[in-house]
Amino acid sequence: MHPFRKAVEDRDTAAIEALLADNVVFTSPVAFKPYPGKPLTAAILRGVLRVFEDFRYIREIADPGGRDHALVFEATVAGKRLTGCDFLHFDEDGKIDDFMVMVRPLSAASALAEAMAAQFDRIRSEAIAAIAEAR
């Protein structure tokens, strides 16, 4: 089992954050523009853990070199079942530098967008606090 998968399944936010590169870029399934940087990505992932119910990975796919992983998952958001995939790319230090998520069906993606929009003030505050703490 990949360390990222274990961290997510254990809901270990410190371990999840430790696996992120400082320059990670997070591409959301429901936002047009990618989100750059570890503080914002970590805050988004904490928000996702708050809104996903019954989350579980069902498949793990890796390239032979180990730099790219696809983790297929199922979850519920606001009563809507969804299937999604975390596409992870790892830098030469083994940290996630590119993190893209896709989900289906559209009704569940819409529910996810609404749930995450409700989290975004908290996400922004957490990211700003992390940046200020790092200075």
Side-chain angles (χ1 to χ4, degrees):
M1 177 183 304
H2 192 275
F4 180 79
R5 177 179 179 171
K6 179 165 178 25
V8 171
E9 289 179 346
D10 291 346
R11 302 180 68 79
D12 185 343
T13 57
I16 293 168
E17 187 168 351
L19 290 166
L20 300 175
D22 289 338
N23 64 337
V24 64
V25 175
F26 179 82
T27 304
S28 165
V30 296
F32 176 74
K33 186 174 143 185
Y35 297 101
K38 183 175 184 173
L40 186 52
T41 298
I44 289 169
L45 294 175
R46 286 190 299 273
V48 169
L49 288 175
R50 290 189 293 267
V51 303
F52 276 167
E53 302 165 24
D54 306 321
F55 180 91
R56 71 182 192 285
Y57 284 114
I58 59 172
R59 187 174 314 134
E60 185 172 333
I61 305 161
D63 77 12
R67 300 276 303 266
D68 289 289
H69 274 69
L71 300 170
V72 181
F73 62 85
E74 294 179 339
T76 303
V77 176
K80 302 280 186 187
R81 286 294 296 157
L82 64 81
T83 302
C85 191
D86 292 336
F87 294 97
L88 309 175
H89 180 268
F90 294 85
D91 66 16
E92 51 281 338
D93 296 322
K95 303 283 186 173
I96 300 167
D97 62 358
D98 186 55
F99 191 132
M100 180 174 57
V101 181
M102 293 186 169
V103 298
R104 64 158 312 277
L106 179 58
S107 60
S110 296
L112 177 59
E114 287 179 29
M116 290 303 292
Q119 293 282 319
F120 220 81
D121 285 342
R122 181 174 175 182
I123 289 168
R124 185 179 298 114
S125 295
E126 288 178 8
I128 290 168
I131 291 167
E133 187 177 303
R135 290 185 181 164

